Amino acid sequence: METTSRVGAQAPAAEGGQQVPSARRTVDGYLLAPFPWYGLDEAFTGPRWLMQVGTSADGAVEHGSIGHGDEPTVRAELTEDKERFAVVVTVAANPVRRSADGTGLLEATSVSSAAWLAGVGLLSFTWPGQMDHTLRDDWLDQQTETAWVLADDLDGPDWSSLSLPVDGVPTPFHYRESEFGWVLAGSTQAGVHVGAYGRGMSAYGLGFAMIKDIGAYA
């Protein structure tokens, strides 16, 4: 699969597997991106918040996430049905290219890149009930590899088709559901790929739009 490297495409995480919301509050990285950011359209009137950006091997911003709704915690039996959130991942549509220092090649990005980032992002807020702390790393490794395989086969039986508006234009997306939530991915006419994941909010009623002023999120 042509995608960003796994090193540069890590899901948000923190010590002990817990999410630390205050760790991702800076807008600086978003402002450095040479591509537009996407979020839910104006039909969504709830809270919006910055998460984090990801960079390529040469330090260029290649992707990032914007959260909507409740700020999720790692899934626990008491909270899994109460949180309502959707996270939109924007991925620059880049071809294979040389790194800035000319020492190597940077991998291309694709819709599969967005699908994998969204899948791993959902996993970062997931912890099956009754699982021991010591087993979670192994579980995450296994599920991350599964997300990679699924993202590499968007035409496979695990994905269905879903049409959602992007900047007001009906746009095809690849969509799948799991016991942990839902994941979708597609491309825009603005030269970026969009992925999304969520729980407690139906993906079927969502729409996406270019963010006019990412600085307003600071």
Side-chain angles (χ1 to χ4, degrees), residues 1-194:
M1 177 175 70
E2 294 182 344
T3 182
T4 48
S5 70
R6 300 195 192 192
V7 174
Q10 295 178 15
E15 291 186 30
Q18 298 293 319
Q19 188 71 12
V20 181
S22 61
R24 35 112 264 237
R25 283 284 190 251
T26 178
V27 74
D28 294 352
Y30 293 86
L31 294 173
L32 294 174
F35 54 85
W37 295 103
Y38 272 78
L40 296 185
D41 62 20
E42 60 185 11
F44 176 80
T45 58
R48 299 171 184 247
W49 26 276
L50 298 177
M51 296 183 71
Q52 68 178 30
V53 301
T55 60
S56 63
D58 63 355
V61 175
E62 286 208 327
H63 61 84
S65 302
I66 306 290
H68 306 75
D70 301 326
E71 295 195 34
T73 55
V74 174
R75 171 178 167 172
E77 291 182 351
L78 296 178
T79 63
E80 61 179 286
D81 294 326
K82 296 180 180 179
E83 293 177 343
R84 300 180 66 254
F85 70 90
V87 174
V88 179
V89 183
T90 306
V91 184
N94 290 325
V96 175
R97 62 214 183 280
R98 287 203 169 277
S99 59
D101 59 10
T103 58
L105 294 177
L106 300 176
E107 295 180 60
T109 58
S110 65
V111 177
S112 290
S113 308
W116 182 72
L117 287 166
V120 175
L122 181 61
L123 290 174
S124 70
F125 298 117
T126 301
W127 194 331
Q130 309 302 319
M131 178 173 286
D132 186 271
H133 254 282
T134 58
L135 298 177
R136 187 169 189 261
D137 285 346
D138 289 339
W139 179 86
L140 275 176
D141 287 344
Q142 180 186 49
Q143 294 299 315
T144 298
E145 186 62 32
T146 298
W148 181 269
V149 172
L150 287 171
D152 201 27
D153 187 23
L154 293 177
D155 294 322
D158 293 292
W159 297 89
S160 60
S161 298
L162 182 62
S163 179
L164 297 172
V166 177
D167 294 324
V169 179
T171 302
F173 283 87
H174 301 275
Y175 174 78
R176 68 177 176 87
E177 294 181 357
S178 74
E179 60 184 299
F180 311 122
W182 52 263
V183 172
L184 58 80
S187 296
T188 77
Q189 296 180 348
V192 296
H193 307 297
V194 169

